[in-house]
Amino acid sequence: MNWKRTHRRAGQSAEMAILETILSTLSFIFVLAAACVSPWLFGAWEMWWFWPFAVCVFAAALCFGIRLVAGGSPLRSHRLRFSAAGTTTAVCFAVFVAYAWVRAWQTPVYMDAERSLLLFATPLLLAGVIAIGFSRAQLRALYLAVALNLLCLGLYGIVNHRITGSSRVLWVQTTFTQYSGRATGAYFCPDHYSGLMELLLALAIGILLTPYASGSRRLAGYTWKFVAAFAAVVALYGVWLSQSRGGGLTVLAMLSVAGLVWTAGFKPAVRWGIRLGGLAACVALLVIAWSSGSAYVGRFKEFTPSGASTFDEARRQATDRIMDNPRYGMYSAAVRAWREVGPWVGIGPGMHQHLWFHYAASPDGDRAKGIWPTRPNAEAHSHQVHNDWLQLLEEYGIIGAVLFSAMAGSLLIVLIKGYRSGTKPAVTLGAILCFTAMALHSLVDFNLQIPATTWIFSSVLAAAFAFIQRAHGPT
């Protein structure tokens, strides 16, 4: 009876309140499926399980839209008021998606353009549903579900690697011999498994570095801190087993950012003492690791010169090894295509893999003179650039890169301001570290092109964004 009266005071009939509750619950279930079930089905990669989970995202948005059309107003009931940075984020969000949509229609190979568009549109759509349509209880439940699911994914990757050597992914026998000896988890690529573990580490650090607060429901309580400590160990071990070079460097950057944030409120003498001590400990551990015979460390040593008698010879060896790496070939091809085809609007969404054959070889060849290029790059086909930011620039041009960067930058400002104001510090710090992880690792890989990873990432950021915007709203 009190429930009915509450909604009548809010201007809703009991029937409308029931309808809104049903739609809100369905929306939550669909979002949970996209964010938590999809990574267990090979990351919802498009040739396997993408569309069932994309439908879940669309269904969640449909339920949210019906709530608005039927008279429900999440904006009013949640008292969501966008800050200036929050408004900028929302506007850039809408403008970028509109721009991407137009560029997709202008692209010759529409199926691949559609894939690229959906890789941006579905996580952004998911974030909008979460940020505007979810209640605080739903935000908290989603955040915990994502964190615990990442922990389970990490444990699965470790156990599977110990039992099968990652020769199987779920029920499928793998054929990617280039990843032999590296943990892959529920994905086929160890670098993408490392990306998931970086997200897990970010959420764990956010909880661990939040001052203790009593109450069983608080993330800063002892129970959740114990779970977070265990999750951090699982995440670090998962990255180590994946042998991802980008993952290892990203973890170091994350720990550095976390250390700077954690010590920011200390007295100067204590702050710098801890920071310098942490730096010394990190250097010592790196020296010990470098001296070991670990296969993981050996992957880093591939780029270091050996047997050089002079500095110039060592530099030449290091340069040759970097240029012989497949990533260098993909980066140089992407830059050439971007410069020659369309610096402002890009070559078109999803077109990298089609223009690769034209731009893969180094530009020092001459067909008329019968001179072969120094690097033909004819041994493999590049579907992705292995650098999300460079591929964004290549395919969407300067305009797309600026619009996306403005959206990402304004969102980061919202998160930082929210953390400084003390709004859900465990959640906001976790989101900041997730942002750091994906921004850095995407410089050498394409984690942001794995649908499940992008949906997890957008769910975490959207939950933190919503908590911050509702800081003065009702409980």
Side-chain angles (χ1 to χ4, degrees):
M1 192 60 153
N2 291 335
W3 177 77
K4 292 182 180 179
R5 288 175 182 171
T6 299
H7 285 281
R8 287 199 181 104
R9 283 197 299 268
Q12 284 185 312
S13 66
E15 293 77 10
M16 186 60 67
I18 293 173
L19 175 62
E20 184 163 348
T21 300
I22 293 173
L23 291 172
S24 177
T25 303
L26 287 174
S27 183
F28 178 78
I29 292 172
F30 286 130
V31 169
L32 206 62
C36 293
V37 181
S38 60
W40 290 101
L41 291 172
F42 315 107
W45 196 246
E46 68 269 15
M47 65 278 290
W48 292 300
W49 292 89
F50 172 77
W51 282 109
F53 293 105
V55 169
C56 287
V57 176
F58 298 142
L62 176 63
C63 292
F64 174 66
I66 294 175
R67 288 173 63 191
L68 296 179
V69 172
S73 179
L75 285 170
R76 182 177 64 248
S77 61
H78 298 155
R79 297 184 189 175
L80 181 62
R81 298 184 181 92
F82 285 147
S83 62
T87 302
T88 303
T89 302
V91 171
C92 291
F93 163 110
V95 174
F96 176 80
V97 171
Y99 171 76
W101 190 289
V102 172
R103 290 296 294 130
W105 278 104
Q106 295 173 339
T107 301
V109 186
Y110 180 72
M111 289 295 291
D112 291 314
E114 180 188 56
R115 171 192 176 274
S116 178
L117 173 64
L118 289 174
L119 282 173
F120 287 106
T122 53
L124 294 176
L125 185 63
L126 195 71
V129 172
I130 294 169
I132 300 174
F134 277 20
S135 66
R136 289 192 175 189
Q138 289 175 324
L139 292 173
R140 184 178 184 277
L142 176 65
Y143 190 87
L144 291 178
V146 167
L148 293 175
N149 191 56
L150 285 171
L151 175 57
C152 292
L153 287 164
L155 290 172
Y156 166 76
I158 293 171
V159 173
N160 181 55
H161 190 67
R162 290 303 177 192
I163 294 177
T164 71
S166 293
S167 62
R168 297 185 67 85
V169 175
L170 302 170
W171 61 87
V172 177
Q173 187 73 32
T174 62
T175 58
F176 299 101
T177 56
Q178 68 268 36
Y179 300 140
S180 178
R182 301 174 61 189
T184 62
Y187 290 174
F188 285 104
C189 176
D191 296 317
H192 300 153
Y193 171 62
S194 175
L196 283 182
M197 293 302 95
E198 293 154 29
L199 295 179
L200 175 61
L201 180 63
L203 301 186
I205 291 175
I207 296 173
L208 287 173
L209 295 188
T210 301
Y212 169 75
S214 61
S216 59
R217 290 175 56 83
R218 295 182 179 274
L219 286 175
Y222 283 136
T223 301
W224 285 113
K225 285 189 178 297
F226 175 80
V227 174
F230 177 66
V233 173
V234 170
L236 290 171
Y237 191 46
V239 173
W240 179 269
L241 289 180
S242 75
Q243 298 183 26
S244 170
R245 289 176 294 220
L249 295 174
T250 299
V251 165
L252 290 177
M254 291 172 63
L255 294 176
S256 299
V257 171
L260 292 174
V261 172
W262 178 54
T263 59
F266 295 171
K267 294 180 179 180
V270 177
R271 178 169 66 245
W272 288 107
I274 294 176
R275 289 176 178 178
L276 293 175
L279 178 62
C282 183
V283 171
L285 289 173
L286 289 176
V287 170
I288 294 172
W290 192 263
S291 303
S292 69
S294 168
Y296 188 15
V297 176
R299 285 174 50 77
F300 286 95
K301 292 182 178 180
E302 292 176 3
F303 295 103
T304 59
S306 57
S309 57
T310 64
F311 175 78
D312 287 340
E313 184 180 355
R315 179 177 55 81
R316 186 168 55 254
Q317 283 187 18
T319 302
D320 290 342
R321 293 183 184 186
I322 291 173
M323 295 180 68
D324 288 339
N325 187 272
R327 278 179 170 79
Y328 180 85
M330 290 184 282
Y331 297 169
S332 60
V335 171
R336 285 183 60 205
W338 166 68
R339 285 178 174 174
E340 296 182 18
V341 177
W344 286 101
V345 296
I347 66 175
M351 289 299 293
H352 167 77
Q353 60 182 317
H354 299 289
L355 296 187
W356 159 258
F357 301 101
H358 184 70
Y359 292 99
S362 57
D364 55 355
D366 190 322
R367 175 178 292 190
K369 296 180 180 179
I371 300 175
W372 278 84
T374 305
R375 300 187 313 279
N377 284 340
E379 294 82 10
H381 180 201
S382 171
H383 291 274
Q384 285 82 28
V385 181
H386 286 64
N387 182 322
D388 285 328
W389 308 119
L390 182 55
Q391 187 161 351
L392 172 67
L393 177 65
E394 178 195 16
E395 295 185 345
Y396 289 88
I398 295 174
I399 296 175
V402 168
L403 289 174
F404 192 87
S405 298
M407 179 183 67
S410 57
L411 176 58
L412 182 60
I413 292 173
V414 171
L415 295 175
I416 292 174
K417 287 184 175 180
Y419 180 73
R420 287 180 174 177
S421 67
T423 303
K424 292 287 184 180
V427 176
T428 51
L429 178 56
I432 290 171
L433 293 176
C434 283
F435 191 103
T436 302
M438 288 296 102
L440 293 179
H441 199 163
S442 289
L443 289 170
V444 292
D445 225 310
F446 57 100
N447 279 300
L448 291 178
Q449 295 193 54
I450 306 300
T453 301
T454 63
W455 295 334
I456 294 170
F457 183 48
S458 64
S459 297
V460 172
L461 297 187
F465 179 87
F467 277 127
I468 294 167
Q469 299 303 314
R470 302 173 194 178
H472 305 291
T475 307

mmCIF file of all heavy atoms in Angstrom, residues 43 48 170 193 251 285 300:
data_model
loop_
_atom_site.group_PDB
_atom_site.id
_atom_site.type_symbol
_atom_site.label_atom_id
_atom_site.label_comp_id
_atom_site.label_asym_id
_atom_site.label_seq_id
_atom_site.Cartn_x
_atom_site.Cartn_y
_atom_site.Cartn_z
ATOM 1 N N GLY A 43 34.123 -14.065 -26.058
ATOM 2 C CA GLY A 43 34.152 -12.618 -26.179
ATOM 3 C C GLY A 43 33.100 -12.052 -27.104
ATOM 4 O O GLY A 43 33.158 -10.877 -27.464
ATOM 5 N N TRP A 48 31.062 -15.650 -34.081
ATOM 6 C CA TRP A 48 30.519 -16.675 -33.202
ATOM 7 C C TRP A 48 29.231 -16.225 -32.516
ATOM 8 O O TRP A 48 28.147 -16.628 -32.889
ATOM 9 C CB TRP A 48 31.573 -17.079 -32.146
ATOM 10 C CG TRP A 48 32.734 -17.801 -32.729
ATOM 11 C CD1 TRP A 48 32.722 -18.980 -33.423
ATOM 12 C CD2 TRP A 48 34.091 -17.380 -32.720
ATOM 13 N NE1 TRP A 48 33.975 -19.317 -33.841
ATOM 14 C CE2 TRP A 48 34.848 -18.365 -33.421
ATOM 15 C CE3 TRP A 48 34.756 -16.278 -32.188
ATOM 16 C CZ2 TRP A 48 36.220 -18.262 -33.592
ATOM 17 C CZ3 TRP A 48 36.128 -16.182 -32.362
ATOM 18 C CH2 TRP A 48 36.842 -17.165 -33.053
ATOM 19 N N LEU A 170 37.244 -23.230 -23.538
ATOM 20 C CA LEU A 170 35.926 -23.779 -23.249
ATOM 21 C C LEU A 170 35.825 -25.162 -23.884
ATOM 22 O O LEU A 170 36.605 -26.035 -23.534
ATOM 23 C CB LEU A 170 34.847 -22.809 -23.730
ATOM 24 C CG LEU A 170 34.916 -21.395 -23.104
ATOM 25 C CD1 LEU A 170 33.968 -20.439 -23.803
ATOM 26 C CD2 LEU A 170 34.602 -21.446 -21.619
ATOM 27 N N TYR A 193 42.919 -11.879 -23.084
ATOM 28 C CA TYR A 193 42.731 -12.367 -21.717
ATOM 29 C C TYR A 193 43.440 -11.443 -20.732
ATOM 30 O O TYR A 193 42.906 -11.115 -19.668
ATOM 31 C CB TYR A 193 43.280 -13.794 -21.604
ATOM 32 C CG TYR A 193 43.341 -14.341 -20.191
ATOM 33 C CD1 TYR A 193 42.195 -14.498 -19.429
ATOM 34 C CD2 TYR A 193 44.565 -14.705 -19.621
ATOM 35 C CE1 TYR A 193 42.244 -15.006 -18.136
ATOM 36 C CE2 TYR A 193 44.628 -15.214 -18.344
ATOM 37 C CZ TYR A 193 43.468 -15.366 -17.603
ATOM 38 O OH TYR A 193 43.530 -15.861 -16.312
ATOM 39 N N VAL A 251 50.179 -2.959 -16.617
ATOM 40 C CA VAL A 251 50.080 -3.202 -15.175
ATOM 41 C C VAL A 251 51.027 -2.283 -14.411
ATOM 42 O O VAL A 251 50.663 -1.704 -13.377
ATOM 43 C CB VAL A 251 50.375 -4.682 -14.855
ATOM 44 C CG1 VAL A 251 50.635 -4.876 -13.356
ATOM 45 C CG2 VAL A 251 49.209 -5.560 -15.289
ATOM 46 N N LEU A 285 62.655 -5.350 -8.508
ATOM 47 C CA LEU A 285 61.909 -6.495 -9.025
ATOM 48 C C LEU A 285 62.124 -6.664 -10.526
ATOM 49 O O LEU A 285 62.236 -7.789 -11.026
ATOM 50 C CB LEU A 285 60.422 -6.338 -8.713
ATOM 51 C CG LEU A 285 60.017 -6.496 -7.241
ATOM 52 C CD1 LEU A 285 58.543 -6.155 -7.059
ATOM 53 C CD2 LEU A 285 60.294 -7.909 -6.752
ATOM 54 N N PHE A 300 60.258 -9.896 -23.998
ATOM 55 C CA PHE A 300 60.738 -8.511 -24.011
ATOM 56 C C PHE A 300 62.153 -8.427 -24.585
ATOM 57 O O PHE A 300 62.502 -7.462 -25.254
ATOM 58 C CB PHE A 300 60.727 -7.936 -22.591
ATOM 59 C CG PHE A 300 59.365 -7.609 -22.077
ATOM 60 C CD1 PHE A 300 58.665 -8.511 -21.294
ATOM 61 C CD2 PHE A 300 58.766 -6.402 -22.375
ATOM 62 C CE1 PHE A 300 57.403 -8.219 -20.816
ATOM 63 C CE2 PHE A 300 57.502 -6.092 -21.899
ATOM 64 C CZ PHE A 300 56.820 -7.010 -21.116
#
